[in-house]
Amino acid sequence: MATKVYIVYYSMYGHVEKLAEEIKKGAASVEGVEATLWQVPETLSEEILGKMSAPLKSDVPIITPNDLAEADGFIFGFPTRFGMMSAQFKAFMDATGGLWRTQQLAGKPAGIFYSTGSQGGGQETTPLTAITQLVHHGMIFVPIGYSFGAGMFEMEQVKGGSPYGAGTYAGDGSRMPSELELAQAFHQGKYIAGITKKLKTAA
């Protein structure tokens, strides 16, 4: 039976979605792993999104809280809002109370990826504050540490991400993830999928 890894994300302008797509490729590169992309529901109206110049959502399916129970592992992604996860993703996590009561996610590995507007905009505080969501569910937080190798020490170009997980800088919105950031995202997907597979096999 395949190991199921769900990449669950919220993306308003496409930056997080770009990372998610690359993470899926990395996860799917692990033999025996079935990687699936999911979006969390939008909480803003079309009128508000239009005023914010947000593009139309992709056709990636919308996840429900109960869908999470089917996965063996997760990689959660979101943009930052004042150094924390966006309200849309927090609203989704707030709706997982039923899973929390039955601890259906306990013992399952989970990673985090993110996008911020600036270098001081939350590349570490965003995943750090998000870990509380995993803790209450009993999930196992899986950081990438420095397993990405030399890419973690890149100083000649702007690069998002940290030992917590893959990341990117959106700037004013016009900057999309660089090749190095996408490579780190691919690595995160492969790395966490491998760990998820090991845990499932050992169970």
Side-chain angles (χ1 to χ4, degrees):
M1 184 178 294
T3 298
K4 295 183 178 182
V5 174
Y6 284 3
I7 299 99
V8 185
Y9 68 93
Y10 173 76
S11 188
M12 179 174 284
Y13 295 107
H15 302 82
V16 173
E17 187 165 69
K18 283 287 186 184
L19 294 178
E21 291 168 352
E22 206 64 24
I23 286 172
K24 180 187 176 182
K25 293 177 186 176
S29 73
V30 178
E31 185 178 356
V33 169
E34 179 183 300
T36 307
L37 288 176
W38 297 91
Q39 296 186 79
V40 302
E42 180 59 80
T43 60
L44 298 177
S45 68
E46 291 187 12
E47 179 184 2
I48 295 298
L49 290 170
K51 290 180 178 179
M52 298 174 72
S53 300
L56 295 175
K57 300 294 184 188
S58 69
D59 58 1
V60 171
I62 304 298
I63 196 169
T64 68
N66 287 338
D67 289 324
L68 293 175
E70 303 300 318
D72 299 302
F74 309 94
I75 311 176
F76 298 125
F78 31 78
T80 188
R81 298 292 184 264
F82 300 110
M84 301 176 71
M85 68 168 58
S86 64
Q88 290 87 346
F89 206 94
K90 182 59 168 61
F92 174 74
M93 294 303 295
D94 285 348
T96 61
L99 297 174
W100 166 76
R101 280 191 296 273
T102 54
Q103 286 293 285
Q104 290 188 62
L105 306 182
K108 296 186 178 185
I112 296 171
F113 63 104
Y114 40 85
S115 172
T116 70
S118 65
Q119 293 187 41
Q123 288 283 314
E124 291 196 353
T125 61
T126 302
L128 180 61
T129 53
I131 291 173
T132 59
Q133 311 296 309
L134 312 184
V135 169
H136 283 263
H137 276 286
M139 287 186 274
I140 303 169
F141 174 54
V142 182
I144 61 171
Y146 284 81
S147 62
F148 185 49
M152 296 297 293
F153 300 92
E154 173 59 42
M155 299 294 286
E156 298 302 316
Q157 60 176 296
V158 174
K159 184 191 80 67
S162 73
Y164 290 95
T168 188
Y169 293 115
D172 62 1
S174 61
R175 181 187 186 275
M176 296 304 286
S178 67
E179 289 301 314
L180 184 58
E181 290 169 337
L182 292 174
Q184 186 177 41
F186 182 95
H187 169 75
Q188 183 177 23
K190 183 176 181 180
Y191 182 73
I192 294 180
I195 290 174
T196 303
K197 180 180 177 180
K198 287 179 182 178
L199 289 174
K200 181 176 182 179
T201 303

